[in-house]
Amino acid sequence: TILMLWLALAFEAVWHYVGHDVKSSYQYGKLKSSTTREEVHHHDRDHHHSVSHVQLATELVNRAGAEFMTLGFLASIIFAASNAGAFEWCVASFPPTTSKIKMPKTEADWLHLAEFVHFQLFLAMLLYFFLMARVVKGSVERIKFWEECSEGHIKEGQLSHPMGWDLAVYRCWREYFITKMVSW
């Protein structure tokens, strides 16, 4: 019990650190020098009528926290079901001999199956959020570069990425977008 308590406290400390770390992450619009109110739609404003964009890293951490809470809820359901005799009911309601599908034979088998599925969901969540963290990191870098390019910070040395191919691609996409918008 003491070990579990220490592990929970360590997890909470790490989660707290990550939560504070992402609050200083990049947010689109930080580089914008000025935006007039006429340029921005109403739904892009906060309650003070200024432009508001989400921090992708913060959103990812918040959603991961919600998933941890959901998995904790599922763990409590499994615990409650085990203590309430629900797995005993499963053995009686779904006998392994009458089904074409291989069913758990005992109450302990049902409990282990529920715990195994719960752990698989946990591993899938970890993999998903690891992949999404990589996607967010790449997206933030690209969005930041595009914002720098759109703001006219194109002089050598002011970009976060070296000039060259990325800038040429940005200019090509920008030209394509403007051409299509004008021909609309």
Side-chain angles (χ1 to χ4, degrees):
T1 307
I2 299 296
L3 176 64
M4 290 177 66
L5 178 63
W6 280 106
L7 289 173
L9 289 173
F11 176 81
E12 175 61 30
V14 169
W15 194 255
H16 185 75
Y17 172 78
V18 169
H20 277 290
D21 191 43
V22 297
K23 287 184 180 180
S24 63
S25 64
Y26 172 77
Q27 179 178 11
Y28 178 77
K30 281 186 176 180
L31 299 177
K32 279 202 173 288
S33 54
S34 64
T35 303
T36 63
R37 291 185 178 189
E38 293 79 29
E39 294 177 56
V40 182
H41 296 306
H42 178 70
H43 66 276
D44 292 333
R45 299 171 195 249
D46 63 11
H47 63 282
H48 296 292
H49 300 290
S50 29
V51 178
S52 175
H53 298 280
V54 298
Q55 290 174 295
L56 295 179
T58 303
E59 284 294 311
L60 184 67
V61 168
N62 289 341
R63 290 172 190 245
E67 289 300 320
F68 278 124
M69 287 180 48
T70 301
L71 287 170
F73 175 74
L74 289 176
S76 66
I77 294 296
I78 292 169
F79 175 77
S82 176
N83 288 329
F87 296 125
E88 191 176 300
W89 175 84
C90 288
V91 171
S93 299
F94 306 105
T97 56
T98 60
S99 177
K100 292 181 181 179
I101 301 171
K102 186 176 178 180
M103 303 295 277
K105 296 177 183 172
T106 65
E107 184 179 342
D109 291 342
W110 277 98
L111 174 62
H112 291 301
L113 177 64
E115 289 173 342
F116 183 70
V117 170
H118 182 253
F119 191 72
Q120 285 179 325
L121 288 171
F122 174 74
L123 289 179
M125 183 208 67
L126 287 179
L127 177 63
Y128 170 77
F129 281 106
F130 173 76
L131 292 173
M132 288 309 299
R134 302 291 297 161
V135 168
V136 165
K137 183 178 184 285
S139 298
V140 165
E141 288 174 2
R142 182 62 47 184
I143 291 168
K144 185 177 181 182
F145 178 75
W146 288 343
E147 184 180 12
E148 288 173 344
C149 289
S150 69
E151 283 295 303
H153 299 102
I154 299 179
K155 296 176 186 164
E156 191 68 45
Q158 289 184 320
L159 293 173
S160 62
H161 295 286
M163 290 180 63
W165 177 252
D166 283 337
L167 185 57
V169 169
Y170 168 78
R171 286 182 173 160
C172 180
W173 277 110
R174 184 173 183 265
E175 181 67 29
Y176 175 79
F177 178 75
I178 291 171
T179 304
K180 290 299 180 181
M181 290 299 293
V182 168
S183 68
W184 215 16

